[in-house]
Amino acid sequence: MRRAPPSGTGTGTGTGARRVRVRAWSAAGRDRLAAERAELATLEQGIRFRTIFLILMGTILAIAASNVLTGAVGLFRETAARPLTAAEQTRYIKDDIARRWQAWSTDLVFPLELQYIGLGRAQQYARRVGLAPETPCRSGTDASTGSVLAQYGCRTLLRATYVDQTSTFVITVGIAVLRDEETRTAATAQLPVDDRVGVRPVAFPGTASELFGAAQRQRNAWIPVGPYVVFSTAGYSDGRTRQSISPEEILHSELWPAAQAVAGRIARALGDEPNAVPQCTQGNVC
């Protein structure tokens, strides 16, 4: 016969049923589980950060690529040959004229020989007998003229002296270089209207000009062109002063027409438009 189980050890659910004991987790197990959970949380956080980082980098790279592409397109458009606008062609002409006093050789600025039409429509010529060193504008002109030029920032004064083919007339031509045409316009509006003052003559010993000084000047004038003021002054090679010549004689003399012609030829060459103006930003092929 089976023995009845001891009282209080049954498995029923009643009051007298035996209770099952549950073994508690050890401290080491709990720590390991907590560590695994923390590691999993860290891993998930890292994945989220990496995803965010990749999205940001992708966005930045996309924006950068777009900017590079836009810049490349703009650079291509800017550097590609295109027709020059009327304003750009005008600027090219002005810049070309403004640098001639430096870019041209001395013989282009002051030719060795200049032809002109004298009285009676006769073909005449004047020859250059000397070149003066560059000088400050105030030093190479009379005080009333030089002060105006200095006020408007005159850069330098170039001078050369010519005599006519008979060596009777002596003409000094001076080129005052201003910053630009606008500055020159403002300066010439203030220059004195007086044919006794202007550029100071330059004489060269051993030539027909050696007696040509300030007292020998018969008349003075100037011609505006581009950023330049082309001055001229003329007299006789024999040393006659202004006071010794009657106004009527000067009026009917070939002296002043010759001086005007020589200075005018030099001024026109400086101010002429260049022979070829580019039609495109890169030559003449657009």
Side-chain angles (χ1 to χ4, degrees):
M1 293 180 64
R2 291 184 180 176
R3 290 184 181 181
S7 172
T9 62
T11 59
T13 58
T15 304
R18 186 179 56 182
R19 295 182 179 178
V20 178
R21 297 182 62 187
V22 178
R23 187 176 59 180
W25 286 76
S26 65
R30 290 195 301 269
D31 292 343
R32 185 171 60 255
L33 181 60
E36 291 175 353
R37 289 176 176 172
E39 184 179 351
L40 180 60
T42 302
L43 180 61
E44 291 176 348
Q45 186 180 41
I47 292 173
R48 286 196 300 271
F49 286 164
R50 184 172 180 273
T51 301
I52 294 172
F53 173 77
L54 290 176
I55 292 173
L56 288 175
M57 288 302 297
T59 303
I60 292 172
L61 290 175
I63 294 173
S66 176
N67 289 340
V68 170
L69 180 61
T70 302
V73 172
L75 180 62
F76 175 77
R77 289 177 177 174
E78 184 66 25
T79 57
R82 60 171 176 79
L84 287 175
T85 65
E88 288 171 330
Q89 288 183 325
T90 299
R91 173 50 57 188
Y92 175 89
I93 293 171
K94 285 187 174 183
D95 290 345
D96 182 87
I97 292 172
R99 58 174 172 262
R100 287 177 181 174
W101 72 278
Q102 286 179 311
W104 281 7
S105 67
T106 299
D107 291 344
L108 279 177
V109 178
F110 293 116
L112 286 168
E113 187 173 286
L114 287 169
Q115 293 185 345
Y116 64 94
I117 303 299
L119 296 180
R121 307 299 298 173
Q123 183 72 47
Q124 304 285 345
Y125 70 86
R127 58 187 175 86
R128 193 184 74 201
V129 295
L131 289 165
E134 282 188 40
T135 188
C137 299
R138 193 186 284 270
S139 300
T141 57
D142 294 300
S144 57
T145 300
S147 61
V148 173
L149 295 175
Q151 177 185 348
Y152 285 92
C154 185
R155 301 171 66 178
T156 191
L157 181 70
L158 314 175
R159 289 181 295 173
T161 296
Y162 289 81
V163 297
D164 75 317
Q165 63 193 54
T166 65
S167 296
T168 301
F169 310 137
V170 185
I171 304 156
T172 292
V173 178
I175 302 173
V177 182
L178 280 299
R179 183 174 63 252
D180 50 41
E181 187 172 351
E182 292 72 24
T183 305
R184 189 271 304 159
T185 299
T188 50
Q190 301 297 321
L191 286 176
V193 182
D194 185 346
D195 72 352
R196 295 171 299 174
V197 297
V199 68
R200 298 185 66 82
V202 185
F204 294 91
T207 71
S209 69
E210 61 184 347
L211 299 178
F212 187 41
Q216 284 69 42
R217 292 182 295 177
Q218 301 298 323
R219 293 184 68 177
N220 298 269
W222 51 265
I223 303 170
V225 56
Y228 310 110
V229 185
V230 180
F231 291 92
S232 60
T233 186
Y236 292 99
S237 60
D238 60 9
R240 282 179 282 177
T241 63
R242 180 181 175 112
Q243 288 73 20
S244 66
I245 307 295
S246 66
E248 292 77 15
E249 182 179 345
I250 288 295
L251 184 64
H252 296 94
S253 170
E254 195 173 356
L255 168 67
W256 193 236
Q260 289 178 307
V262 169
R265 287 288 304 274
I266 292 173
R268 281 194 299 275
L270 280 174
D272 276 349
E273 291 190 5
N275 292 329
V277 178
Q279 301 301 306
C280 307
T281 54
Q282 297 180 10
N284 291 316
V285 179
C286 299

